[in-house]
Amino acid sequence: MNIEFADRVKRLPPYLFAEMEKLIKEKKAQGVDLISLSIGDPDFPPPPFVIASLKEEVANLKNHNYSFSQGEPDFRQAVADWYKKRFHVDLDQEEVIALLGSKEGIANIARAFVNSGDRVLVPDPSYPVYANGGTILNDGIPVSVPLLEENGFKPDFESVNPEKVKMMFLNYPNNPTSATVDKALLKLAVEFARENNIILCYDNAYSEISFDGYTAPSILEVDGAMDVAVEFHSCSKTFNMTGDRIAFATGNKQLISGLTKVKSQIDSGPPVYIQKVAAKALASYSGGEQPGFLKTTNQIYAERRDVLVNRLCSMGFKCDKPKATFYVWLNCKSNSMEFATKLLNVGVAVTPGIGFGKHGENYVRFSLTQPKERIEEACRRMSALFRVADTQ
Ligand SMILES: Cc1ncc(COP(=O)(O)O)c(C=O)c1O
């Protein structure tokens, strides 16, 4: 039998990390003590109260039936309550949907609204799912919106051609650049979307990972956003629950209902017990204030960030301290794949920027998901490569 992939699958770009992954495997097979600063998966477990609640909810035999495509009403209410506390935004349950991770929601939203040949604005560099799972696999055409260092890694809406654009993805705090925004930029995004009749998909997966007093806003805080926007949040990074697959989208009722319609033909919502646990996790906020474990986690990420950025600067690189996310985006001023390979040869794995889009070239992404001592060791190994400049 001649098995052939569908055209939309053939249109997916080549997987640029394949070569890196092969090299990483080889290093591991050789017994190299590899320090992985490449994966965006927290090294912390979920907080103890989440694990306790998980045990309790799993043991409840009533929690093993199908959920609803839009999610459990109690979970959606918990999301609405959290929005009120955290962002002072009023939502009703119809404006919330439970997701099996925000990746799934990002990939499915375009299926509900993008027709074959519609253009979808995708930041470059960005989380690859916007262009691939979100656009190409739904027969849309990804159009790159450059995020340039000289613009603080923010889009220049005036230079974007809105013709035949149906949807736009935007993500702050940003992966991979770790750039943050204030409400003024979000206001520009909402105005641009409203003026041009574009659906705005705002990915706020890192809203709770922030430092130095920075608090990430929600797009739904902006006047008029409810007309055009849907916002994605996740329990993955906030509560260290990446493997539990629980997230949510909020915003315009019609957009949420379109996503629900699509999902009702694909899945039946996250497990009831996971939704119950996630509802408890969200309820751990006191007013808008983060629970203690999250403050502690963010403090640890900030310490790791300081170690890495200070050492990179003393090696001669120019690198600012990000105010959010657990990533450091380094302008390595050279081919990102070659630079990453050089680091891999001293036992440090990072992600080459080219994997996030053409404008990610000459950058690499470090993930702060290893203990401080391992990051210090990674810096020692790197400084052997850049010894001339390292003064520490
Ligand atoms: C920007 C961004 N959005 C969404 C996700 C997806 O997270 P999840 O599907 O675990 O909610 C990730 C994961 O790394 C991400 O970096």
Side-chain angles (χ1 to χ4, degrees), residues 101-103 106 127 130 171 175 203 205-206 234 236-237 245 247:
S102 57
K103 183 183 203 172
I106 290 163
Y127 181 53
Y130 310 137
N171 158 233
N175 174 18
D203 182 356
Y206 294 90
S234 177
S236 288
K237 325 284 172 174
R245 310 313 295 140

Side-chain angles (χ1 to χ4, degrees), residues 218-358:
S218 158
I219 195 105
L220 302 183
E221 290 176 47
V222 175
D223 284 344
M226 272 308 227
D227 293 340
V228 286
V230 59
E231 176 162 276
F232 294 92
H233 275 280
S234 177
C235 296
S236 288
K237 325 284 172 174
T238 307
F239 301 111
N240 306 322
M241 294 173 73
T242 50
D244 295 309
R245 310 313 295 140
I246 178 77
F248 44 97
T250 56
N252 180 280
K253 235 176 238 187
Q254 259 178 298
L255 296 177
I256 296 296
S257 83
L259 186 51
T260 307
K261 226 174 189 167
V262 165
K263 277 171 61 62
S264 70
Q265 299 300 323
I266 295 177
D267 64 71
S268 302
V272 173
Y273 52 87
I274 296 285
Q275 294 187 57
K276 291 202 168 164
V277 173
K280 257 187 210 155
L282 290 169
S284 67
Y285 274 65
S286 148
E289 200 170 315
Q290 294 187 330
F293 91 88
L294 191 48
K295 287 185 191 163
T296 307
T297 309
N298 281 339
Q299 179 67 35
I300 296 171
Y301 283 139
E303 283 168 16
R304 295 172 178 182
R305 171 202 65 176
D306 291 348
V307 166
L308 179 63
V309 172
N310 289 343
R311 287 299 298 272
L312 287 171
C313 289
S314 71
M315 286 176 221
F317 295 102
K318 200 182 155 295
C319 184
D320 292 329
K321 288 184 180 166
K323 287 196 170 62
T325 78
F326 43 61
Y327 302 116
V328 168
W329 186 238
L330 177 71
N331 187 337
C332 60
K333 296 193 189 306
S334 58
N335 179 285
S336 66
M337 209 63 104
E338 282 172 24
F339 189 86
T341 308
K342 208 156 139 186
L343 297 197
L344 197 58
N345 285 332
V346 294
V348 179
V350 299
T351 310
I354 186 68
F356 299 102
K358 150 174 128 209

Side-chain angles (χ1 to χ4, degrees), residues 83 89-92 94-97 105 109 113 157 166-171 185-204 217-233 248-259:
Y83 257 76
V89 168
D90 288 305
L91 294 177
D92 69 48
E94 292 311 304
E95 293 161 329
V96 181
I97 181 171
I109 186 94
F113 299 101
F157 291 110
K166 186 72 187 276
M167 183 172 271
M168 161 169 76
F169 286 100
L170 208 57
N171 158 233
L185 190 278
L186 299 188
K187 213 164 156 257
L188 287 180
V190 169
E191 276 166 16
F192 177 78
R194 284 170 63 104
E195 275 165 21
N196 297 295
N197 206 29
I198 293 171
I199 295 167
L200 173 52
C201 298
Y202 190 72
D203 182 356
N204 215 343
S218 158
I219 195 105
L220 302 183
E221 290 176 47
V222 175
D223 284 344
M226 272 308 227
D227 293 340
V228 286
V230 59
E231 176 162 276
F232 294 92
H233 275 280
F248 44 97
T250 56
N252 180 280
K253 235 176 238 187
Q254 259 178 298
L255 296 177
I256 296 296
S257 83
L259 186 51

Side-chain angles (χ1 to χ4, degrees), residues 73-135:
D74 287 354
F75 174 70
R76 289 187 280 134
Q77 189 55 48
V79 170
D81 294 344
W82 182 71
Y83 257 76
K84 182 72 182 163
K85 286 196 279 193
R86 173 67 177 80
F87 301 114
H88 309 289
V89 168
D90 288 305
L91 294 177
D92 69 48
Q93 286 186 19
E94 292 311 304
E95 293 161 329
V96 181
I97 181 171
L99 300 171
L100 291 144
S102 57
K103 183 183 203 172
E104 169 264 298
I106 290 163
N108 278 323
I109 186 94
R111 189 184 278 261
F113 299 101
V114 170
N115 286 314
S116 173
D118 282 345
R119 297 164 85 231
V120 175
L121 300 178
V122 174
D124 179 356
S126 71
Y127 181 53
V129 180
Y130 310 137
N132 299 342
T135 305

